[in-house]
Amino acid sequence: MAGQRRSVTRRTVLRGAVAAGAVAGAATTGALRPTSAVAAPGRRVAVLGGGVAGLTAAHELAERGLAVTVYERRALGGQARSIRVPGSARDGRPELWGEHGFRFFPGFYRHLPDTMRRIPFAGNVNGVWDNLVAAPEARFSRRDADDVILPLGKAFTTWATPDQFRETVGSAISTSAKMPTADALFFANRLLVFNSSCDARRGGQWDDISWKEYVGAGQRSKEFRMLLSRTLTTLLVAAKDDLASTRTIGNMGEQFLGNPLEIANDGPLDRLLNGATTESWIDPWTALLRELGVEFVRADVRGLELDGGRISAARTADGTLIEADHFVAAMPVEVARTLWTPEILALRPELAGMSQLVVDWMTGIQFFLKNPTNIVRGHAAYVDSPWSLTSIAQNQFWNRTPMSDLGDGTVRDRLSVDISDWNTPGILYGKPAKECTHDEIAREVWAQLQAHLNDREDLLRDDDLHSWFLDTGITWDAANRRNVNADPLLINTAGSWALRPESHRPAIENLFLAGDYVRTGVDLATMEGASESARTAVNRLLDVAGSDAPRCKVFSLYRAAELEPFRQLDAARYAAGQPNFFDTPI
């Protein structure tokens, strides 16, 4: 069998199999450059996967002079890429843009923006990073109830003591969310408990408890349950509040609500790109990587060949062997865990826990409109929609690529919607999204949006609908009358931290893991988590290779300095089996 396989090295790579556009721009500031176009022995790296984790790893490695080849089975950018809508181009205009889901760049992201600043973009001093624009507000829409529109930014005053924290955060939530004061203060105290918890308690206690249980949602008001328990989890990940890990959701709450002055943030609370993701970010990125010597190959990696304590080659679906000195596995969790043979698990037994990690669906649909919408100047969450919908009307932010310049020229806006719950029956057909045809999904989502937006005024009109596009990762299995999803999302369920692996263990010297399932500080299935994990993988690889190149920057999440004495106190209390100092009824 081995004699029938073809061997692929950097010198025999199939060039040009994965296409990406080139964008001219200013020189990269402060970027390291390869020392040689030809790799020295021990410096060939195969990056398996071309999503955000894989491209980040390739970027960091290429800047440090290693010879990198990225192997991707579908399309560069992975779930972050934009997707051309087939057949939508007219009269010389390019096709409309669809996508897996709208892109969201919170201000607490640090790794991704750092990379974006190093990607040249014509006319931008700070490269691709200058394509980020702030969303000034968010809308929480309730069916047959008053909606809440929140201004985003430095909404809270500063605080110096735990009591001031409770009062400041509680008052802001009560006022803006129209929530009973007692509920708002209770939530502020739960946030205080988490923010003042030591690392050991966060990993050893809070990770094992669901968010719904942690915030006591069952004993609070309907507004509390809908906004601070259910919506907070579905906004961040496609998770239910009775499943999501408190460690994960608490970390995000610490950044959004515990950091009101945006200390140590990269920018405003809510940001998005000023054009289609592929044009604004992915194409310029792959163009830069090619300049740095990175090569791209279309390949479906199906296995790893183990020789002692090293990976000798990766094996593709057609039997081709990919040879390299180091391997970075940058596939999503549901793909990566299929590579672990009994021999690999014997050396890294902790990887077996990956088989218990949960993936679910969070996928986008875009509605192209003949007139601009006036829903909100930012993201909207449809709080009690059966399919947990969130949306963004994008033309108001796309100053680089107006909708009228695309398709047949009649589109004036694009409402990009994320469907986070594919398992709950809808309001039109009484079926979950997984069991609806694509046309039924579009009609159902449109109906749920209208039920929320048109109960007070006519914000979403049937006459304005031009067309729609559902992510191509969703395919209809007619025989079984249900959909199949090629791109599920990792869900950090309670207790899942123990199942997530580290990037590298010496038992397999040259295998490094990068992906949002790897243990990271951000602890969430996001592009930021993918970027952080890739940087960690690269740093471990440089250690193993004995490289003297500078290590990648790895940033820490914000923690209020005012609470550090209480976190130190909590470390002692947790070790003694005592609760957090603030974990008492208020």
Side-chain angles (χ1 to χ4, degrees), residues 457-474:
E457 53 183 319
D458 201 18
L459 292 177
L460 206 58
R461 298 175 293 273
D462 290 338
D463 290 345
D464 284 339
L465 182 58
H466 174 279
S467 56
W468 54 268
F469 175 82
L470 181 66
D471 173 29
T472 53
I474 300 292

PDB file of all heavy atoms in Angstrom, residues 457-474:
ATOM      1  N   GLU A 457     -43.895  48.874  14.311  1.00  0.00           N
ATOM      2  CA  GLU A 457     -43.808  49.638  13.064  1.00  0.00           C
ATOM      3  C   GLU A 457     -43.356  48.709  11.960  1.00  0.00           C
ATOM      4  O   GLU A 457     -42.836  47.623  12.217  1.00  0.00           O
ATOM      5  CB  GLU A 457     -42.843  50.818  13.215  1.00  0.00           C
ATOM      6  CG  GLU A 457     -41.461  50.442  13.731  1.00  0.00           C
ATOM      7  CD  GLU A 457     -40.572  51.655  13.932  1.00  0.00           C
ATOM      8  OE1 GLU A 457     -40.609  52.554  13.076  1.00  0.00           O
ATOM      9  OE2 GLU A 457     -39.847  51.694  14.945  1.00  0.00           O
ATOM     10  N   ASP A 458     -43.535  49.136  10.728  1.00  0.00           N
ATOM     11  CA  ASP A 458     -43.269  48.283   9.573  1.00  0.00           C
ATOM     12  C   ASP A 458     -41.798  48.383   9.181  1.00  0.00           C
ATOM     13  O   ASP A 458     -41.431  49.092   8.240  1.00  0.00           O
ATOM     14  CB  ASP A 458     -44.170  48.729   8.409  1.00  0.00           C
ATOM     15  CG  ASP A 458     -44.357  47.626   7.375  1.00  0.00           C
ATOM     16  OD1 ASP A 458     -44.096  46.459   7.721  1.00  0.00           O
ATOM     17  OD2 ASP A 458     -44.749  47.939   6.243  1.00  0.00           O
ATOM     18  N   LEU A 459     -40.941  47.634   9.890  1.00  0.00           N
ATOM     19  CA  LEU A 459     -39.501  47.732   9.659  1.00  0.00           C
ATOM     20  C   LEU A 459     -38.991  46.753   8.608  1.00  0.00           C
ATOM     21  O   LEU A 459     -37.930  46.968   8.029  1.00  0.00           O
ATOM     22  CB  LEU A 459     -38.746  47.491  10.977  1.00  0.00           C
ATOM     23  CG  LEU A 459     -38.898  48.568  12.063  1.00  0.00           C
ATOM     24  CD1 LEU A 459     -38.158  48.145  13.324  1.00  0.00           C
ATOM     25  CD2 LEU A 459     -38.368  49.905  11.556  1.00  0.00           C
ATOM     26  N   LEU A 460     -39.713  45.673   8.383  1.00  0.00           N
ATOM     27  CA  LEU A 460     -39.250  44.650   7.448  1.00  0.00           C
ATOM     28  C   LEU A 460     -40.413  44.297   6.526  1.00  0.00           C
ATOM     29  O   LEU A 460     -41.342  43.595   6.910  1.00  0.00           O
ATOM     30  CB  LEU A 460     -38.775  43.413   8.230  1.00  0.00           C
ATOM     31  CG  LEU A 460     -37.723  42.519   7.564  1.00  0.00           C
ATOM     32  CD1 LEU A 460     -36.466  43.312   7.243  1.00  0.00           C
ATOM     33  CD2 LEU A 460     -37.384  41.349   8.471  1.00  0.00           C
ATOM     34  N   ARG A 461     -40.359  44.795   5.283  1.00  0.00           N
ATOM     35  CA  ARG A 461     -41.482  44.679   4.349  1.00  0.00           C
ATOM     36  C   ARG A 461     -41.209  43.601   3.291  1.00  0.00           C
ATOM     37  O   ARG A 461     -40.103  43.507   2.764  1.00  0.00           O
ATOM     38  CB  ARG A 461     -41.724  46.027   3.660  1.00  0.00           C
ATOM     39  CG  ARG A 461     -42.114  47.144   4.627  1.00  0.00           C
ATOM     40  CD  ARG A 461     -42.222  48.480   3.904  1.00  0.00           C
ATOM     41  NE  ARG A 461     -40.919  48.941   3.423  1.00  0.00           N
ATOM     42  CZ  ARG A 461     -40.072  49.652   4.167  1.00  0.00           C
ATOM     43  NH1 ARG A 461     -40.378  49.981   5.418  1.00  0.00           N
ATOM     44  NH2 ARG A 461     -38.924  50.050   3.657  1.00  0.00           N
ATOM     45  N   ASP A 462     -42.245  42.819   3.005  1.00  0.00           N
ATOM     46  CA  ASP A 462     -42.114  41.768   1.990  1.00  0.00           C
ATOM     47  C   ASP A 462     -41.704  42.339   0.638  1.00  0.00           C
ATOM     48  O   ASP A 462     -40.930  41.717  -0.102  1.00  0.00           O
ATOM     49  CB  ASP A 462     -43.444  41.021   1.835  1.00  0.00           C
ATOM     50  CG  ASP A 462     -43.780  40.163   3.053  1.00  0.00           C
ATOM     51  OD1 ASP A 462     -42.843  39.815   3.802  1.00  0.00           O
ATOM     52  OD2 ASP A 462     -44.968  39.863   3.247  1.00  0.00           O
ATOM     53  N   ASP A 463     -42.232  43.517   0.298  1.00  0.00           N
ATOM     54  CA  ASP A 463     -41.934  44.115  -1.006  1.00  0.00           C
ATOM     55  C   ASP A 463     -40.461  44.468  -1.164  1.00  0.00           C
ATOM     56  O   ASP A 463     -39.980  44.646  -2.296  1.00  0.00           O
ATOM     57  CB  ASP A 463     -42.782  45.367  -1.216  1.00  0.00           C
ATOM     58  CG  ASP A 463     -44.256  45.041  -1.417  1.00  0.00           C
ATOM     59  OD1 ASP A 463     -44.564  43.863  -1.684  1.00  0.00           O
ATOM     60  OD2 ASP A 463     -45.091  45.958  -1.283  1.00  0.00           O
ATOM     61  N   ASP A 464     -39.735  44.598  -0.048  1.00  0.00           N
ATOM     62  CA  ASP A 464     -38.328  44.973  -0.124  1.00  0.00           C
ATOM     63  C   ASP A 464     -37.405  43.776  -0.344  1.00  0.00           C
ATOM     64  O   ASP A 464     -36.212  43.955  -0.625  1.00  0.00           O
ATOM     65  CB  ASP A 464     -37.898  45.684   1.169  1.00  0.00           C
ATOM     66  CG  ASP A 464     -38.407  47.113   1.231  1.00  0.00           C
ATOM     67  OD1 ASP A 464     -38.731  47.668   0.174  1.00  0.00           O
ATOM     68  OD2 ASP A 464     -38.494  47.660   2.356  1.00  0.00           O
ATOM     69  N   LEU A 465     -37.931  42.571  -0.190  1.00  0.00           N
ATOM     70  CA  LEU A 465     -37.081  41.384  -0.295  1.00  0.00           C
ATOM     71  C   LEU A 465     -36.715  41.110  -1.754  1.00  0.00           C
ATOM     72  O   LEU A 465     -37.581  40.876  -2.592  1.00  0.00           O
ATOM     73  CB  LEU A 465     -37.785  40.172   0.313  1.00  0.00           C
ATOM     74  CG  LEU A 465     -36.979  38.865   0.317  1.00  0.00           C
ATOM     75  CD1 LEU A 465     -35.667  39.027   1.075  1.00  0.00           C
ATOM     76  CD2 LEU A 465     -37.813  37.729   0.921  1.00  0.00           C
ATOM     77  N   HIS A 466     -35.414  41.134  -2.032  1.00  0.00           N
ATOM     78  CA  HIS A 466     -34.895  40.870  -3.375  1.00  0.00           C
ATOM     79  C   HIS A 466     -34.605  39.383  -3.556  1.00  0.00           C
ATOM     80  O   HIS A 466     -35.047  38.760  -4.528  1.00  0.00           O
ATOM     81  CB  HIS A 466     -33.624  41.708  -3.593  1.00  0.00           C
ATOM     82  CG  HIS A 466     -32.896  41.441  -4.867  1.00  0.00           C
ATOM     83  ND1 HIS A 466     -32.036  40.368  -5.028  1.00  0.00           N
ATOM     84  CD2 HIS A 466     -32.876  42.112  -6.054  1.00  0.00           C
ATOM     85  CE1 HIS A 466     -31.521  40.389  -6.240  1.00  0.00           C
ATOM     86  NE2 HIS A 466     -32.018  41.436  -6.891  1.00  0.00           N
ATOM     87  N   SER A 467     -33.853  38.804  -2.618  1.00  0.00           N
ATOM     88  CA  SER A 467     -33.454  37.406  -2.699  1.00  0.00           C
ATOM     89  C   SER A 467     -32.803  37.020  -1.375  1.00  0.00           C
ATOM     90  O   SER A 467     -32.646  37.867  -0.484  1.00  0.00           O
ATOM     91  CB  SER A 467     -32.477  37.172  -3.861  1.00  0.00           C
ATOM     92  OG  SER A 467     -31.347  38.018  -3.745  1.00  0.00           O
ATOM     93  N   TRP A 468     -32.421  35.786  -1.241  1.00  0.00           N
ATOM     94  CA  TRP A 468     -31.750  35.323  -0.027  1.00  0.00           C
ATOM     95  C   TRP A 468     -30.677  34.301  -0.386  1.00  0.00           C
ATOM     96  O   TRP A 468     -30.687  33.728  -1.481  1.00  0.00           O
ATOM     97  CB  TRP A 468     -32.748  34.734   0.972  1.00  0.00           C
ATOM     98  CG  TRP A 468     -33.622  33.638   0.430  1.00  0.00           C
ATOM     99  CD1 TRP A 468     -34.856  33.775  -0.135  1.00  0.00           C
ATOM    100  CD2 TRP A 468     -33.306  32.234   0.358  1.00  0.00           C
ATOM    101  NE1 TRP A 468     -35.336  32.562  -0.551  1.00  0.00           N
ATOM    102  CE2 TRP A 468     -34.418  31.587  -0.249  1.00  0.00           C
ATOM    103  CE3 TRP A 468     -32.232  31.465   0.754  1.00  0.00           C
ATOM    104  CZ2 TRP A 468     -34.449  30.212  -0.465  1.00  0.00           C
ATOM    105  CZ3 TRP A 468     -32.254  30.086   0.540  1.00  0.00           C
ATOM    106  CH2 TRP A 468     -33.360  29.486  -0.067  1.00  0.00           C
ATOM    107  N   PHE A 469     -29.772  34.071   0.577  1.00  0.00           N
ATOM    108  CA  PHE A 469     -28.672  33.125   0.360  1.00  0.00           C
ATOM    109  C   PHE A 469     -28.380  32.413   1.668  1.00  0.00           C
ATOM    110  O   PHE A 469     -28.135  33.057   2.696  1.00  0.00           O
ATOM    111  CB  PHE A 469     -27.417  33.854  -0.125  1.00  0.00           C
ATOM    112  CG  PHE A 469     -26.206  32.962  -0.255  1.00  0.00           C
ATOM    113  CD1 PHE A 469     -26.029  32.177  -1.385  1.00  0.00           C
ATOM    114  CD2 PHE A 469     -25.248  32.911   0.746  1.00  0.00           C
ATOM    115  CE1 PHE A 469     -24.914  31.349  -1.511  1.00  0.00           C
ATOM    116  CE2 PHE A 469     -24.131  32.091   0.629  1.00  0.00           C
ATOM    117  CZ  PHE A 469     -23.961  31.307  -0.506  1.00  0.00           C
ATOM    118  N   LEU A 470     -28.399  31.083   1.623  1.00  0.00           N
ATOM    119  CA  LEU A 470     -28.072  30.269   2.793  1.00  0.00           C
ATOM    120  C   LEU A 470     -26.673  29.699   2.639  1.00  0.00           C
ATOM    121  O   LEU A 470     -26.296  29.248   1.547  1.00  0.00           O
ATOM    122  CB  LEU A 470     -29.095  29.133   2.946  1.00  0.00           C
ATOM    123  CG  LEU A 470     -28.917  28.192   4.151  1.00  0.00           C
ATOM    124  CD1 LEU A 470     -29.146  28.951   5.460  1.00  0.00           C
ATOM    125  CD2 LEU A 470     -29.888  27.013   4.048  1.00  0.00           C
ATOM    126  N   ASP A 471     -25.918  29.734   3.713  1.00  0.00           N
ATOM    127  CA  ASP A 471     -24.548  29.216   3.711  1.00  0.00           C
ATOM    128  C   ASP A 471     -24.469  27.870   2.989  1.00  0.00           C
ATOM    129  O   ASP A 471     -25.255  26.957   3.253  1.00  0.00           O
ATOM    130  CB  ASP A 471     -24.084  29.069   5.164  1.00  0.00           C
ATOM    131  CG  ASP A 471     -22.732  28.391   5.297  1.00  0.00           C
ATOM    132  OD1 ASP A 471     -21.911  28.505   4.365  1.00  0.00           O
ATOM    133  OD2 ASP A 471     -22.500  27.747   6.326  1.00  0.00           O
ATOM    134  N   THR A 472     -23.503  27.742   2.082  1.00  0.00           N
ATOM    135  CA  THR A 472     -23.354  26.531   1.273  1.00  0.00           C
ATOM    136  C   THR A 472     -22.923  25.325   2.098  1.00  0.00           C
ATOM    137  O   THR A 472     -22.959  24.192   1.601  1.00  0.00           O
ATOM    138  CB  THR A 472     -22.335  26.767   0.147  1.00  0.00           C
ATOM    139  OG1 THR A 472     -21.110  27.267   0.710  1.00  0.00           O
ATOM    140  CG2 THR A 472     -22.867  27.771  -0.851  1.00  0.00           C
ATOM    141  N   GLY A 473     -22.508  25.540   3.345  1.00  0.00           N
ATOM    142  CA  GLY A 473     -22.180  24.407   4.209  1.00  0.00           C
ATOM    143  C   GLY A 473     -23.399  23.610   4.625  1.00  0.00           C
ATOM    144  O   GLY A 473     -23.286  22.476   5.097  1.00  0.00           O
ATOM    145  N   ILE A 474     -24.592  24.213   4.466  1.00  0.00           N
ATOM    146  CA  ILE A 474     -25.841  23.530   4.772  1.00  0.00           C
ATOM    147  C   ILE A 474     -26.365  22.888   3.488  1.00  0.00           C
ATOM    148  O   ILE A 474     -26.636  23.581   2.507  1.00  0.00           O
ATOM    149  CB  ILE A 474     -26.900  24.503   5.321  1.00  0.00           C
ATOM    150  CG1 ILE A 474     -26.394  25.167   6.608  1.00  0.00           C
ATOM    151  CG2 ILE A 474     -28.220  23.785   5.557  1.00  0.00           C
ATOM    152  CD1 ILE A 474     -26.256  24.230   7.779  1.00  0.00           C
TER     153      ILE A 474
END
